[in-house]
C-alpha cells in the first residue's frame, strides 16, 4: 500500500510517502526564528505557504504520483489547533479530490510505533518521549499506550527553548544549548524536581534565569549543568517506569532525543539494568511525517475507517485515549 503521511502538530510541516514498511521519502519544512519563540498563527501561515512545495518534493523523491496513493494519513492530535488544522485541511482535500480514504492519527503514539518499525527486535518498549511540547514516559498496557510519567508543566523542549530565548539564541534552542554545554567546565547546583514518575521544569527555569541575569555564571556552565540536571530527571523517571512495568527496552522519541548526552545517559542506565536502549536516527526522532504514514497504515490494516466528518482535529487528545486496535500481544 502506498501511503502519504502529513505532519503538522507544531513547528514542522512534513510529508512522507511510504510503501508498506519502506519509507520512500520523508520531507519537511521547519518554522524557525532568529529571535523570539513561535506564535501559533505565524506557524500556521508558514505551513500554508510551504505545503504545496513539500508535497511536490516528497512525491518527486518517492517517484510517486498523488493518483497512485492508497491512503492519506494525517496528524489529528495533539498539537496547536492552528497548525493541526492546516494538515487536516490538506488531508481532506486530497481525500475528496482523489477519492481515497483518510485516517487521522495520534502524534505521540506515532513516535512509539515508528520505533517498533525501525527496530523489529524491539517489541514492547517504554518510550521516553522528549519533544518541544510533550514530555511523557509511555508504555503499552491493557490495550492502550498509557502515560506512566509526564511533565507537570512545560515540555522539556519548550523549557530548553525558553532558556535559549532568554540567552537570545533563537528557536529552536536545544541544539544551541547542546553545543554550549560541551564547553561547560563546572557543574552548578540546580533544583531537581522529580515527583514519583513525573517531572517539572518551571522552578528550574526561574532559577536558571535568575542565575543568568546575576551575571555570575558562564553560560556554558549553565547550559552544561542544565542538561545534566534535566536529563538525569528524565532518565530517573524512565528507569522507574521500566521497573514498574517490568519492561526491559527503552526507546527514545522527540526532538530533544537528538541530544547526544541524553542518549548517552539513557544508554548507561539501560546497560546497568541489563536492558536495551534504542535511538532512532534524527529524522525519525524529530516531528516527521513518516511516522504518521506508518501509524495510519497499521491502523487502517487493523480495520479502522474514518469519514471526513470524523476528521476534526483533536488538539488535546491524550495518548491513553486512543484504543490500540492494531496490537494484540
Ligand atoms: P519536536 O517537537 O519533537 O520536533 O522537537 C523539537 C524540540 O527539540 C525543540 O524544543 C528543540 O529545541 C529540541 N531539540 C532539537 N534538537 C535538540 C538537541 N540536539 N538537544 C536538545 N534539544 C533539541
Ligand atoms: Mg513530536
Amino acid at each position: 500500500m502506498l501511503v502519504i503521511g502529513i505532519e503538522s502538530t507544531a513547528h514542522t510541516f512534513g510529508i512522507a510517502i511510504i510503501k508498506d514498511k519502506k519509507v520512500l521519502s520523508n520531507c519537511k519544512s521547519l518554522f524557525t526564528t532568529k529571535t523570539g519563540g513561535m506564535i501559533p498563527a505565524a506557524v500556521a501561515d508558514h505551513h500554508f505557504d510551504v505545503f504545496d512545495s513539500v508535497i511536490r518534493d516528497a512525491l518527486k523523491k518517492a517517484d510517486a504520483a498523488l493518483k497512485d496513493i492508497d491512503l492519506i494519513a494525517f496528524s489529528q492530535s495533539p498539537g496547536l489547533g492552528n497548525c493541526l488544522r492546516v494538515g487536516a485541511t490538506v488531508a481532506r482535500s486530497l481525500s475528496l479530490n482523489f477519492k481515497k480514504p483518510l485516517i487521522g492519527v495520534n502524534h505521540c503514539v506515532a513516535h512509539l510505533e515508528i520505533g517498533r518499525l525501525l527496530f523489529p527486535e524491539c517489541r514492547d518498549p517504554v518510550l521516553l518521549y522528549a519533544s518541544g511540547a510533550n514530555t511523557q514516559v509511555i508504555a503499552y498496557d491493557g490495550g492502550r499506550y498509557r502515560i506512566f510519567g509526564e511533565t507537570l508543566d512545560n515540555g522539556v523542549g519548550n523549557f530548553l527553548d525558553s532558556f535559549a530565548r532568554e540567552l537570545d539564541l533563537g528557536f529552536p534552542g536545544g541544539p544551541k544549548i547542546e553545543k554550549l554545554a560541551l564547553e561547560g567546565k563546572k557543574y552548578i547546583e540546580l533544583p531537581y524536581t522529580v515527583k514519583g514518575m513525573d517531572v517539572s521544569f518551571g522552578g528550574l527555569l526561574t532559577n536558571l534565569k535568575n542565575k543568568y541575569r546575576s551575571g555570575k555564571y558562564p553560560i556554558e556552565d549553565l547550559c552544561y549543568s542544565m542538561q545534566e540536571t534535566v536529563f538525569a530527571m528524565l532518565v530517573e523517571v524512565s528507569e522507574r517506569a521500566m521497573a514498574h512495568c517490568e519492561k526491559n527496552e527503552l526507546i527514545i522519541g522527540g526532538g530533544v532525543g537528538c541530544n547526544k548526552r541524553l542518549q548517552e545517559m539513557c544508554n548507561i542506565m539501560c546497560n546497568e539494568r541489563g536492558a536495551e536502549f534504542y535511538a532512532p536516527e534524527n529524522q525519525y526522532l524529530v516531528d516527521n511525517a513518516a511516522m504518521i504514514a506508518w501509524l495510519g497504515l497499521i491502523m487502517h490494516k487493523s480495520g479502522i475507517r474514518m469519514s471526513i466528518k470524523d476528521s476534526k482535529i483533536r488538539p488535546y487528545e491524550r495518548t491513553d485515549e486512543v484504543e490500540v486496535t492494531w496490537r494484540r500481544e
Side-chain angles (χ1 to χ4, degrees):
M1 250 183 130
L2 201 61
V3 186
I4 185 169
I6 305 169
E7 160 59 26
S8 75
T9 50
H11 48 74
T12 301
F13 185 85
I15 297 284
I17 313 286
I18 68 167
K19 188 171 194 310
D20 303 318
K21 290 185 172 182
K22 197 165 177 333
V23 179
L24 303 181
S25 63
N26 188 25
C27 300
K28 65 179 177 187
S29 170
L30 204 66
F31 174 85
T32 57
T33 66
K34 287 214 165 56
T35 56
M38 65 178 177
I39 299 165
V43 188
D45 283 346
H46 160 268
H47 293 354
F48 271 122
D49 288 344
V50 301
F51 80 84
D52 192 34
S53 65
V54 184
I55 291 176
R56 280 174 210 281
D57 193 20
L59 288 169
K60 193 163 170 225
K61 285 209 172 89
D63 195 19
L66 282 174
K67 65 174 178 32
D68 302 325
I69 300 285
D70 302 304
L71 176 68
I72 297 144
F74 69 101
S75 50
Q76 187 174 21
S77 66
L80 298 170
N82 304 43
C83 302
L84 284 168
R85 221 164 269 125
V86 183
T89 305
V90 172
R92 281 178 212 125
S93 35
L94 289 177
S95 172
L96 289 168
N97 254 306
F98 293 92
K99 300 190 177 46
K100 291 293 162 62
L102 90 172
I103 191 156
V105 316
N106 178 294
H107 174 102
C108 307
V109 173
H111 272 290
L112 195 140
E113 289 296 350
I114 192 76
R116 296 204 320 137
L117 171 68
L118 296 169
F119 301 105
E121 70 280 21
C122 171
R123 293 325 304 150
D124 189 21
V126 169
L127 168 71
L128 169 58
Y129 177 31
S131 78
N134 298 292
T135 302
Q136 298 181 336
V137 180
I138 300 170
Y140 183 74
D141 186 35
R144 305 253 164 169
Y145 282 116
R146 309 212 180 253
I147 302 167
F148 286 90
E150 64 187 313
T151 177
L152 300 174
D153 45 36
N154 296 325
V156 62
N158 285 358
F159 156 75
L160 295 172
D161 295 334
S162 300
F163 188 55
R165 190 152 71 235
E166 174 78 23
L167 303 182
D168 237 356
L169 296 176
F171 172 84
K176 291 166 185 156
I177 288 178
E178 181 176 25
K179 257 198 184 144
L180 286 166
L182 291 173
E183 309 295 322
K185 296 193 172 53
K186 186 167 174 285
Y187 180 77
I188 300 160
E189 202 74 36
L190 293 170
Y192 182 97
T193 319
V194 168
K195 299 178 183 177
M197 280 191 251
D198 294 330
V199 291
S200 115
F201 302 109
L204 179 53
L205 181 61
T206 307
N207 186 289
L208 274 163
K209 283 183 176 173
N210 288 341
K211 285 200 164 72
Y212 170 64
R213 288 173 193 170
S214 76
K216 288 188 200 149
Y217 304 92
I219 58 170
E220 293 81 1
D221 286 352
L222 286 175
C223 290
Y224 163 72
S225 309
M226 167 185 186
Q227 282 201 168
E228 293 302 302
T229 308
V230 296
F231 296 165
M233 288 160 52
L234 296 181
V235 172
E236 180 184 335
V237 294
S238 303
E239 179 167 26
R240 192 159 297 137
M242 289 169 80
H244 176 78
C245 303
E246 297 180 342
K247 297 195 195 278
N248 50 23
E249 295 162 324
L250 178 68
I251 194 156
I252 195 159
V256 182
C258 299
N259 189 291
K260 290 288 174 261
R261 178 61 182 147
L262 176 57
Q263 291 189 7
E264 181 182 39
M265 288 167 76
C266 289
N267 207 18
I268 293 170
M269 178 273 281
C270 286
N271 277 338
E272 285 180 355
R273 48 183 300 117
E276 287 299 324
F277 173 60
Y278 298 93
E281 59 177 282
N282 284 2
Q283 65 162 322
Y284 301 113
L285 281 170
V286 297
D287 287 350
N288 67 89
M291 68 180 190
I292 303 300
W294 172 242
L295 178 54
L297 174 59
I298 53 181
M299 286 170 68
H300 183 83
K301 279 193 169 162
S302 80
I304 298 178
R305 298 292 180 269
M306 204 174 261
S307 65
I308 295 277
K309 80 172 173 6
D310 306 321
S311 70
K312 274 202 192 110
I313 59 162
R314 300 176 193 153
Y316 301 105
E317 181 177 77
R318 283 180 55 87
T319 310
D320 50 12
E321 286 176 52
V322 179
E323 196 191 338
V324 180
T325 49
W326 57 93
R327 210 177 136 162
R328 284 286 165 251
E329 75 271 37

